[in-house]
Structures are given as C-alpha cells and as structure tokens.
C-alpha cells in the first residue's frame, strides 16, 4: 500500500498504510530500527508481519511488521499533497493524475464502483439481458444531443471522392443506446445497456460533459408508465441502499465534511414513496406559486432546472415523477396519448432534490401509421425505415428510460444525488477528466487562463461591467448557482 502517515518514536515506528480498498488505513507497528530515510509520506511499501488484535478501540487489528520494503519513493517536499493538510477541491483539480490519492476522490471512486456493481446486480436479479450497444454509430437518436463525427486522423474531404466517409456513411460517437435497445426488445422482454455516451456541447459550465456513462433500459410488453416508474424507483432505492451499506465510511466522509446534513435527505428519499404528478399539474403548481421564474411557465414550455427544483421542494423534497409531457416537446418515438385539448405524449421524468431531472423515459410508439406520420412530418421517414420495419414483424408495446451515471445538460450523475457534491465534473468518468484550464466567456469566445487567481480576478471584473460569465471552477455554492443560472438564460436567449 501507500504510506499515509509516519510517526517515529524512540523504540517504535508507527505507520498508517492504505491500499485503496477502504477509507480507513491499517496501522503498522514496527521497531524503530526498520525506519529508513526513504520511508516517507506518500511512498509505496511492501510490509510483512503478523496481524493481531489492536488494543485501540478505533481499529480492530494492526500489523506488527517484521520487514518493510520501500517499493516506490516519494519526496514529501515535492509531493503536492501534504500530510495533515486539508486541500481544497480547487487545489486538487490542478493534479488530476494524482488526485485519486486523496481521501475525497478515493472515496468517490469506491462509491462509483459499488454503484456500478449495484446497478448491474439489480438488472441481473430482475431478469434483464445486458446489451453492449455500439459506441460508433450512424444513429443520432433524433435530437438527443450534438454529435462528435468520427473520421480517421488526417482525414480531408475530397470533393471528387464519391464516398468520402470511412464507414461509407457519416458515423458518430453514440449519444444514446436507446434505439439499439428497441431492436433487442423485439427478442428479449427486458434489456439494458451501461456504457459511455458523448455530447459535443461546447460549454464550460459544470452542467456539461463531453463524455459520460449512461444506464438505459427497455421493457417489452408494457403499456403503462407505471411499469417504467416502478423500475426507476426500485433501481434508485436498491442502488442507494447498496452504496450506503457497502461504502458507509466513504459516504459519511462526504456527509460530514463536504455536505453536512445531506444524509437525512437521502434517508427520506429511501423511506418515502415517490410522488407522481402530470405535466399539466406541474404547470399549474408553477403558475400559482409566488416565486418569480426566469423561464416561461406556460403550458407547452420545457421545464427548466429552476422549475424542476421548485417542484421537488413543493412535493416535500421527495423525488417526483412528472408524466404526460406535451407531444411537441418529445421526439418521434414517444407514444402519442391522442388526448385533447392538451395533446400529450406518454413520457416521464424523475426529478430529485438538489438536482432536477435524474431519469427520463417514455412509452414507445408501436403503432406503425402514427409513427410513419410523425417521421414523415419531421422528414425522417427514409432515415428510419428500419425503425418502422420493427413494427411490422412481431412488434409489441414497449417503453424504456435512461439515467445519467455522470452529469450533463439533461442527466445528472447518480452519485451526485446521494452525495450532493456540488462539482459534478469531479464525479466524471473520472480518473482523468477532460477539463480545460480555467476559462471565461467574453466577446463570443472562451479565454483560457492557467492561474486560478487570475481567473477569479478577471471574472470579478467582467461581472462588475455586466459582461457574460461561464465555466467557473468551484466558487461558493450560492454564487455558482447564480452564475450558472445567468449562463443558462443567455444560452436560451
């Protein structure tokens, strides 16, 4: 493991060594004769000895060392993280290649690992078949997000080449595996995928990620949003309970030092049944409130983050399902409710405290004529001929949903919900995040800054003169929310 502390005494040497398997280190007791100059904070060691019951009540066992070998030296003067110092997240972000050695990020990665295990176990135990959907695809999932196009390095468009694309057709990094899952739902009654997705949204805000993991599920033989909502709620609660049980110390670290009091909110979400309201009821709640919203609250508008958070608070800070959205807001595959006077689609979003939307899904349009009309109206009939053909051969009513395991503009990462960590980019795919240097937005372009101090100085100046801001690393929570809200308004304008 790696040495977290060294405490030499006259006769004995005490080490705290951690191998990454848990937050708590193992205490090593050795003779002072085993101490060497290269046995320092941060070094890697191989220790052999006898494991015995500890007289200290704060630990069950300790290791009495007989031999200590320093495998990898570490100069504590040059090492960016100092013993017995608490480093801010802003400071730690400067060393993405080393930050996994801090308590906060090692705990976060263990939580992520256990959450992944719990999600896989939930679907396996409930009879789902895992599908590895393509990462490179010609399918854009109709408006799911901006696309990264895939071409060989050094590729140039030759106007004389009748087939300029490597794959003969334009190919992209996937934004969603949903349509591929719908194919598989024609042979399996329940399927899911859990893998990377990509969005080419050029934003420096903490709400946007270019790469993140998505959990998506598709269920055949269902005609009810109740079936989808039950799976979403059961998945959320089963995963959360597993994480709280298997990562108790890691979760406590966040709830004690980073987000005090959030554990009570998590316990409330587990105890209470999730609320269900219609989109129309949600609009009525927003319009009757005394709060002044920046974005419209008229029927037919898309719910913004400010609306979603208000609705959750209105419902007692318990997760709430919003169902039956306006038909025109949803993509072609959402099932038409054929209702009047408000025309809606059988779609559902799960809103959670402090985040807003966590899951989104819908029943799929299985009626061929209605689907053909919707695709023809959008000019997509030729591109999705194969999709319509699925309805011709043994099609069944079906539906599905997606949950962002990271965060992006629409989906927020699952661990953010249970930890309430205010910097979701720190939660990403995440060992080596693709963060650019500190940046601000001015005059229609981003200006990159290497120094955090200069960054804050210039953003203060810009704010004083009323100029646009974007992409702050992590100021105080309230200030960050206000700045992001301002950026969201500007982007929508």
């Amino acid at each position: 493991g790696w040495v977290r502390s060294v405490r030499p005494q006259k006769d004995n040497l005490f080490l705290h060594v951690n191998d990454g398997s848990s937050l708590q280190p193992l205490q090593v007791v050795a003779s002072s004769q085993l101490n060497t100059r290269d046995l320092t904070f941060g070094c890697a060691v191989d220790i052999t000895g006898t494991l015995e019951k500890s007289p200290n009540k704060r630990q069950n066992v300790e290791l009495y060392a007989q031999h200590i070998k320093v495998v990898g030296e570490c100069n504590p003067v040059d090492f960016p993280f100092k013993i017995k110092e608490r480093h801010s997240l802003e400071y730690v972000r400067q060393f993405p290649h080393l930050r996994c050695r801090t308590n906060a990020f090692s705990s976060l990665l263990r939580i992520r690992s256990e959450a992944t295990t719990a999600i896989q176990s939930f679907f396996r135990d409930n009879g789902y078949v895992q599908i590895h959907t393509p990462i490179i695809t010609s399918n854009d999932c109709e408006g799911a997000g901006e696309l990264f196009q895939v071409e060989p390095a050094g590729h140039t468009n030759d106007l004389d080449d009748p087939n300029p694309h490597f794959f003969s057709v334009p190919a992209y990094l996937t934004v969603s595996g949903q349509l591929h899952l719908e194919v598989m739902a024609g042979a399996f009654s329940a399927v899911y995928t859990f893998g990377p997705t990509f969005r080419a949204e050029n934003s420096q805000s903490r709400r946007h990620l270019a790469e993140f993991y998505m959990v998506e599920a598709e269920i055949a033989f269902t005609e009810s949003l109740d079936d989808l909502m039950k799976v979403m709620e059961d998945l959320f609660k089963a995963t959360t309970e597993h994480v709280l049980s298997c990562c108790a110390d890691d979760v406590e670290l966040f709830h004690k030092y980073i987000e005090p009091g959030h554990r009570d909110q998590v316990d409330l979400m587990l105890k209470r049944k999730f609320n269900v309201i219609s989109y129309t009821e949600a609009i009525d709640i927003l319009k009757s409130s005394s709060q002044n919203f920046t974005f419209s609250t008229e029927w037919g508008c898309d719910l913004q983050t400010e609306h979603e958070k208000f609705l959750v608070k209105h419902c007692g800070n318990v997760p709430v399902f919003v169902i039956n959205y306006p038909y025109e807001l949803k993509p072609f595959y959402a099932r038409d409710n054929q209702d009047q006077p408000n025309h809606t689609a059988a779609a559902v979003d799960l809103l959670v405290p402090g985040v807003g939307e966590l899951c989104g899904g819908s029943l799929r349009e299985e009626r061929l004529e209605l689907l053909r009309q919707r695709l023809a109206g959008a000019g997509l009939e030729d591109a999705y001929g194969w999709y319509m053909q699925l309805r011709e051969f043994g099609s069944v009513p079906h539906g599905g949903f997606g949950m962002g395991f990271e965060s992006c503009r629409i989906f927020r990462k699952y661990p953010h919900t249970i930890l309430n960590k205010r910097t979701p980019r720190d939660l990403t795919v995440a060992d080596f995040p693709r963060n650019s240097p500190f940046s601000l937005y001015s005059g229609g372009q981003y200006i990159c800054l290497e120094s955090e101090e200069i960054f804050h100085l210039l953003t203060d100046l810009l704010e004083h003169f009323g100029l646009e801001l974007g992409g702050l690393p992590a100021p105080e929570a309230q200030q960050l929310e206000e700045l992001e809200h301002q950026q969201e308004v500007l982007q929508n304008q």
Side-chain angles (χ1 to χ4, degrees), residues 76-286:
V77 176
D78 297 333
F79 191 46
F81 307 133
K82 307 305 178 184
I83 190 171
K84 296 184 179 179
E85 285 189 21
R86 290 186 62 186
H87 302 90
S88 68
L89 292 177
E90 290 88 345
Y91 177 79
V92 173
R93 285 193 201 102
Q94 300 177 67
F95 310 99
H97 55 298
L98 297 174
R99 67 181 188 169
C100 59
R101 304 189 192 188
T102 65
N103 282 340
F105 283 94
S106 62
S107 290
L108 185 59
L109 292 168
R110 279 189 294 271
I111 290 170
R112 177 188 173 93
S113 176
E114 286 298 334
T116 300
T117 299
I119 289 170
Q120 300 276 17
S121 297
F122 173 85
F123 285 118
R124 181 195 64 222
D125 295 344
N126 286 277
Y128 285 70
V129 176
Q130 183 177 14
I131 304 297
H132 295 288
T133 55
I135 293 177
I136 298 176
T137 175
S138 59
N139 163 27
D140 68 358
C141 209
E142 206 268 323
E146 297 296 327
L147 304 173
F148 285 107
Q149 188 162 350
V150 178
E151 294 291 353
H155 172 77
T156 57
N157 289 324
D158 186 352
L159 298 179
D160 297 327
D161 187 350
N163 187 12
H165 302 292
F166 181 82
F167 294 101
S168 300
V169 295
Y172 311 96
L173 294 180
T174 181
V175 296
S176 170
Q178 177 215 313
L179 297 185
H180 297 100
L181 286 184
E182 286 198 59
V183 171
M184 296 301 170
F188 305 95
S189 59
V191 292
Y192 79 101
T193 188
F194 190 175
T197 55
F198 307 86
R199 304 286 166 90
E201 297 181 1
N202 188 14
S203 172
Q204 298 292 322
S205 82
R206 70 171 185 160
R207 297 179 186 276
H208 295 73
L209 292 174
E211 177 183 359
F212 57 97
Y213 270 63
M214 280 273 285
V215 181
E216 298 176 271
E218 201 73 23
I219 307 164
F221 301 99
T222 181
E223 300 181 69
S224 171
L225 286 177
D226 291 338
D227 294 340
L228 296 184
M229 291 188 289
K230 185 178 187 309
V231 176
M232 291 185 203
E233 183 170 349
D234 290 349
L235 172 63
F236 177 90
K237 290 183 175 180
T239 304
T240 302
E241 289 170 352
H242 177 89
V243 169
L244 294 179
S245 173
C246 297
C247 300
D249 290 339
D250 296 311
V251 173
E252 183 184 5
L253 176 72
F254 284 90
H255 289 165
K256 185 175 181 180
Y257 295 106
I258 298 177
E259 290 296 335
H262 187 63
R263 176 58 187 264
D264 294 338
Q265 177 67 69
V266 175
D267 291 338
L268 180 64
M269 290 190 285
L270 293 176
K271 292 177 182 177
R272 296 275 296 276
K273 182 172 178 58
F274 293 177
N275 299 301
V276 182
I277 61 174
S278 70
Y279 170 89
T280 301
E281 291 172 327
I283 292 297
D284 291 341
I285 291 171
L286 295 173

Side-chain angles (χ1 to χ4, degrees), residues 285-287 289 291-297 306-307 310 485:
I285 291 171
L286 295 173
K287 293 179 70 173
S289 75
Q291 183 167 328
N292 293 322
F293 296 105
T294 303
F295 297 98
S296 171
T297 56
E306 60 173 348
H307 304 145
F310 179 86
H485 181 65

